[in-house]
Amino acid sequence: MKVVTDANFESDVLQASKPVLVDFWAEWCGPCRALTPILEEVASSNGDKVTFAKLNIDENPLTPSKYGVMSIPTLILYKNGQVAATKMGLMSKSELNAFVESNS
């Protein structure tokens, strides 16, 4: 799982050669913490076609506001530097797999 920040977002996400799924999260967010192991499982089976990344909204406030992140967890899939899909809230492994499969 890649950690992205306001500083490296453009190079690591927007200029990436393959799709990047960014998890906007915070330490104090219970659903965010619950989503982490699910994300790691899905990343282990889909990491060849999608890069999985996490961005802490408390430490990096510029990027979430730029992309209109109002609640967390929010997952945004970026393809070719553009937002391809967005999903909010806690998901099951099957829901997350379906989201990645249908948008990557």
Side-chain angles (χ1 to χ4, degrees):
M1 189 81 58
K2 182 186 275 258
V3 174
V4 292
T5 63
D6 285 342
N8 69 10
F9 192 84
E10 186 164 335
S11 61
D12 288 4
V13 176
L14 301 181
Q15 297 173 359
S17 57
K18 64 182 179 180
V20 181
L21 182 68
V22 180
D23 173 22
F24 290 85
W25 73 288
E27 198 66 49
W28 49 264
C29 167
C32 299
R33 290 196 310 271
L35 185 60
T36 297
I38 298 167
L39 265 173
E40 289 169 350
E41 273 188 66
V42 173
S44 68
S45 56
N46 291 286
D48 54 330
K49 58 183 177 226
V50 178
T51 299
F52 287 75
K54 293 178 78 68
L55 184 136
N56 184 317
I57 64 160
D58 289 335
E59 296 169 2
N60 303 282
L62 300 176
T63 304
S65 65
K66 181 177 178 181
Y67 290 98
V69 174
M70 297 296 200
S71 65
I72 53 173
T74 292
L75 301 177
I76 301 180
L77 185 74
Y78 296 85
K79 282 165 56 175
N80 304 317
Q82 301 293 316
V83 173
T86 302
K87 192 95 167 158
M88 285 182 248
L90 183 58
M91 287 173 259
S92 69
K93 183 179 175 187
S94 59
E95 289 171 320
L96 182 56
N97 261 324
F99 175 71
V100 171
E101 298 277 325
S102 64
N103 293 295
S104 57

